[in-house]
Amino acid sequence: MKILLIEDHEKTANWVKKGLEEAGYTIDITNDGRDGLYLALENDYKLIILDIMMEEMSGFEFLTKYRNMIDIPIILLTAKDFEKDKVEGFALGADDYVTQPF
């Protein structure tokens, strides 16, 4: 299964990638929502793991643009643990919301 990880914190991205690869998944990583949007539209991913707090394009912006184009599962992986952020993430089409640390 091919997964796209969009995470701007390099240490977190490498840690998540290592764990998923050990479980047998193929992982592509980008640290930018805009690049992630391009990759998501050009490749056949079965899952997207998405950070919310990124500089070029936030995870919420990504969801707003991407959800209108393709419907695959998206898990938000973020340090933002406020209820309002969770509500917004689900309202924009996230399938799950995982807060760090986990």
Side-chain angles (χ1 to χ4, degrees), residues 75-95:
I75 298 173
L76 293 175
L77 177 65
T78 181
K80 295 184 84 163
D81 63 353
F82 295 109
E83 191 68 28
K84 69 178 184 71
D85 294 316
K86 292 177 184 178
V87 170
E88 183 174 1
F90 286 124
L92 291 173
D95 295 287

Side-chain angles (χ1 to χ4, degrees), residues 6-26:
I6 308 171
E7 168 64 62
D8 65 345
H9 189 259
E10 186 177 350
K11 187 175 182 180
T12 301
N14 289 334
W15 185 78
V16 171
K17 179 180 181 181
K18 183 180 182 211
L20 291 171
E21 284 178 337
E22 287 175 0
Y25 298 103
T26 302

